[in-house]
Amino acid sequence: QANLEERKKAAAQIERMIETELVAFQQWLHTLGVVPVIAALREKALAIQAETMQSIERKLPHLSEHDRKVLNKHTKSIINQLLRDPILRAKELAAEPNAEEALQLFMKIFNIEDAVKAQKN
């Protein structure tokens, strides 16, 4: 009888653990839909950074290789800092009940709908 009670307790504990892990898995699964959105946003931002670097190099041809590397590093740092909050917010949006609608608005704001479609294909 005592052995049966111990097994029931262990089974209940395992069920709670499974439920907790299932919730965590479902949250993770919801965030997968945001991966193409984040990738498209980052790609667009890095393209802008690359275009800006090309413009700087045309306007300042006397820059040394070291100067170019420093500018490249710092402009990428600016991009990463600017993207940090929108990316975090996109991940949060993906976990909300109206995730699809919210992410559509997010993509529209950043004008990345086509790039997201391309990422998904």
Side-chain angles (χ1 to χ4, degrees):
Q1 188 70 10
N3 188 24
L4 182 61
E5 286 300 316
E6 287 296 317
R7 290 193 318 216
K8 284 183 181 179
K9 284 181 184 176
Q13 183 179 10
I14 290 170
E15 282 182 19
R16 285 190 301 275
M17 290 170 62
I18 289 172
E19 288 174 12
T20 301
E21 289 302 315
L22 189 56
V23 167
F25 176 74
Q26 287 172 336
Q27 288 174 339
W28 173 79
L29 200 54
H30 285 297
T31 62
L32 285 182
V34 79
V35 170
V37 174
I38 292 170
L41 181 61
R42 184 170 294 286
E43 189 176 291
K44 181 176 182 174
L46 289 175
I48 292 168
Q49 184 268 345
E51 289 171 15
T52 302
M53 281 303 300
Q54 289 173 357
S55 175
I56 289 170
E57 289 172 7
R58 279 193 310 275
K59 292 174 182 174
L60 301 171
H62 64 278
L63 290 175
S64 69
E65 186 60 28
H66 173 75
D67 292 340
R68 286 186 178 105
K69 285 181 179 180
V70 168
L71 279 171
N72 191 48
K73 178 183 173 189
H74 286 285
T75 55
K76 280 187 179 178
S77 175
I78 291 168
I79 293 295
N80 290 331
Q81 290 174 48
L82 280 171
L83 291 181
R84 187 173 299 123
D85 288 338
I87 287 172
L88 288 174
R89 188 63 186 127
K91 289 178 181 179
E92 291 168 0
L93 290 172
E96 292 181 5
N98 63 339
E100 188 64 32
E101 184 180 313
L103 287 175
Q104 286 295 329
L105 179 59
F106 184 91
M107 291 185 293
K108 185 171 250 164
I109 289 169
F110 288 100
N111 194 27
I112 56 172
E113 299 99 329
D114 292 340
V116 171
K117 286 178 190 170
Q119 289 280 337
K120 289 182 178 181
N121 294 333

